[in-house]
Amino acid sequence: MDFSLTPEQGMLQDSLRKFLANEYGFDSRRKRAESADGFSRDTWAQLAELGLLGIAISEDDGGLGGDAFDSMLVMESLGRALVVEPYLSTVVLGGATIAAAGNADQKAKWLPAIVGGETLVAFAHGEPRSRYALSHVECTAKADGAGWKLDGQKAVVRDAATADVLLVSARTAGSTSDEKGISLFLVDAKAKGVAIRGYATQDGGRAGEVTLTGVQVDKDALLGNAGEAYPVIERAVDRGIAGLCAEALGIIDALNEATLEYLKTRQQFGQPIGRFQALQHRMVDMTIRAVEARSMAIVAAAGANDSDPMERRRKVSAAKAHIGQCARYVGQQAVQLHGGIGVTDELIVSHWFKRLAMINATFGDAEHHLGVFSDLLLKEDA
Amino acid sequence: MNLAHTAEEIAFRDDVHAFIAKNLPPEIAAKVHGGKRLGRDDYMTWHKILARQGWVAPGWPKEFGGPGWNTVQQQIFDDECAAAGAPRILPFGVKMVAPVIMRFGNAAQKQHFLPRILSGEDWWCQGYSEPGAGSDLASLKTKAERAGDHYVVNGQKTWNTLGQFADWIFVLVRTASAGRPQEGISFLLVDMKTPGITVRPIRMLDGEHEINEVWFENVKVPVANLVGEENKGWTCAKFLLGHERTGIAGVGACKRELKHLKEIARREPAGGGDSLMKDVRFRDRIAQVEIELMALEVTNLRVLSAEAEGGKRAPGPEASILKVRGTEIQQSLSELMMQAVGVYGIPYVPEALDAEWGGVPVGAEYAAPLSGHYFNMRKTSIYGGSNEIQKNIVAQLSLGL
Ligand SMILES: Cc1cc2nc3c(=O)[nH]c(=O)nc-3n(C[C@H](O)[C@H](O)[C@H](O)COP(=O)(O)OP(=O)(O)OC[C@H]3O[C@@H](n4cnc5c(N)ncnc54)[C@H](O)[C@@H]3O)c2cc1C
């Protein structure tokens, strides 16, 4: 076993950190979040130049052919800087999924444009009534002439309003919560019948409600085989979860550093508040959570690539559950230990805290994944 | 021992209930239940309705215009108000400065200020904290220098709640710098319209404006507005902080939130077509917090009835226990509500907090305020003496550590 970074990974991390340190101060992040698109297209182009948009895509398809640990390093740094550019949507959920499930034509059409930063993707799977159940798909796709006709609604689709193309799941057979009968489509965001209601999110990002009304797509819009998209979706979500776990890890570390610094400098009762043992032990507990969160982010990265579906499920859900709990603890304590200033908009601490809460609500919160993991124990017995 | 209310208490509750049902404007209750933004008028309207009835200051002695209720009656009143969706009566005038004026103020101050607090004519805010003086309040630096019949006040206060609406502020100022930090502090009443006062908004993490910085630049305050003795303000300060126990646990508000949480859980989908309430994992978490709330409620009643019997009103460690547990439960409830709506906790649609907004909500109509509410509730374990400070009080006063 080897937990050290390769020289290439070290370089990747260094260059990204340097870039973010220069380009991504908190004020600059606020400006991006408040701009019309909610992010900076210039920064996106720079991320493309750095090669980051091709990390999760094989060299054959025009990417860098990085592994899950490379993606982890990237997401960790993006988390720390609270990057609002649509990396998770376009690269982790979009590009990697097209690379995994697309045919040669689809890959040739989409992947270079994604790697080059020209095309933005949004992953439109969850629905208003699905909560975190991945197989719950009410949206329908009916064979129609040479293509398909899509109807339905997708809920809180991250980065929907700026996406060029939507990865939409729809039911081509079966009933609402069957795993079989779900298909994935690449839908032009400007297609007739697609309506997107965009809005800001609590963490300074963007999302949208997507309504599809009789949307006509060609047969080459179908990604993979009709009715067999469930495993593809599950894997995409697991990659997404691994990415979110790494992002949360970056934030947890950042919060701990900021809080530790505050404990050493904030004076009350004639001494730094870090002298109070009640706070020292709290800070130690936060540090323990951060150490464990790193371990579990590694588990998630490894798990998302596991070819055994049971093992993958176990690892990814364990990581999401545990990191969700660590994130909650660290986020809440970091705010608490900052006192009044911790609940203001002016300090980045509250923004890290909010992003962690929203990561928890994405692709299943800690309790949901604890439940998934716990249910797997029954299969172990069987 | 008897946990049941007496016949008189039940009759009292029915009276209170009927009065609120008849007099609380439904549009204000709807705002409270829906988690909408409340404006100055919403607070004032309800304050004035209660004032006309003589119920605005349940804890005040009769001679100053209180209704003469015992602590159990006050608690029943609090519960009924919260359940009905009444805005809380802001504590700064009624529960904070008024008792200080009653105890330490001179006749003129009592005569002038107390009736205006009751009627709602003056909106008060609290000027204790400073950037360098939070938990360690005694290290405050805002200075007041005597110049004839005036003090000249200079300095900065912060975290001032709803000061943007206030007519008056009570401040702790330093009038002497020798001796222990607790000495040389005075308690002043200041008209917010006095030249030299600037109020600057602080945006909170939920995007809302409920706190402010208040700057004092050569602000002239008549010596007549000094409460108690010069340099003895710390006594007033402590008296104020420890004074009011009814309501500190927030039991009534917690019960209302619990009910709301259950309604949400019944309406939210669990994913498989069932409601979230049928999901045993989520339901267990509601059960857990409901049980904790029961423990808090009975603890609260025990503290109140001990107080009623002993007639003692000095600050004590019980209030700290109530504050710690009450705020923890408020925080759990807000977290569960946010989690109940799943991904619909993610959209940030601040317009939806406006009762007048006619737009279409994103997701269920109750979803919009929930995340902001969760973020905002983090304040409860920080303000009013942080929970760490409350635990220090219990450790020292109750455990002798
Ligand atoms: C929303 C909000 C509204 C407020 N409204 C008002 C108002 O209207 N008027 C007003 O005057 N003030 C108000 N306050 C201020 C409030 O009383 C202070 O924020 C509070 O006393 C904490 O002080 P601080 O923020 O300076 O934190 P600090 O005192 O700097 O505390 C930072 C951290 O250190 C901990 N700590 C400090 N000392 C100790 C110790 N001895 N042992 C263990 N832990 C310790 C604290 O618990 C906290 O976790 C408000 C605050 C908030 C957040």
Side-chain angles (χ1 to χ4, degrees), chain A residues 262-263 266-269 273 276 278-279 336-341 343, chain B residues 92 125-131 133-136 158-161 204 210-211 379 381-389 392:
Chain A
Y262 196 70
L263 292 185
R266 171 69 173 169
Q267 302 270 331
Q268 290 285 276
F269 304 101
I273 55 173
F276 301 121
L279 305 193
Q336 178 71 18
L337 297 190
H338 276 84
I341 191 88
V343 290
Chain B
F92 308 107
C125 66
Q126 178 188 24
Y128 269 30
S129 307
E130 297 181 8
S135 301
D136 181 15
T158 191
W159 314 133
N160 176 275
T161 298
M204 274 185 70
E210 78 177 70
I211 46 177
K379 74 187 177 189
S381 50
I382 296 168
Y383 66 23
S386 72
N387 285 13
E388 287 77 12
I389 295 298
N392 287 349

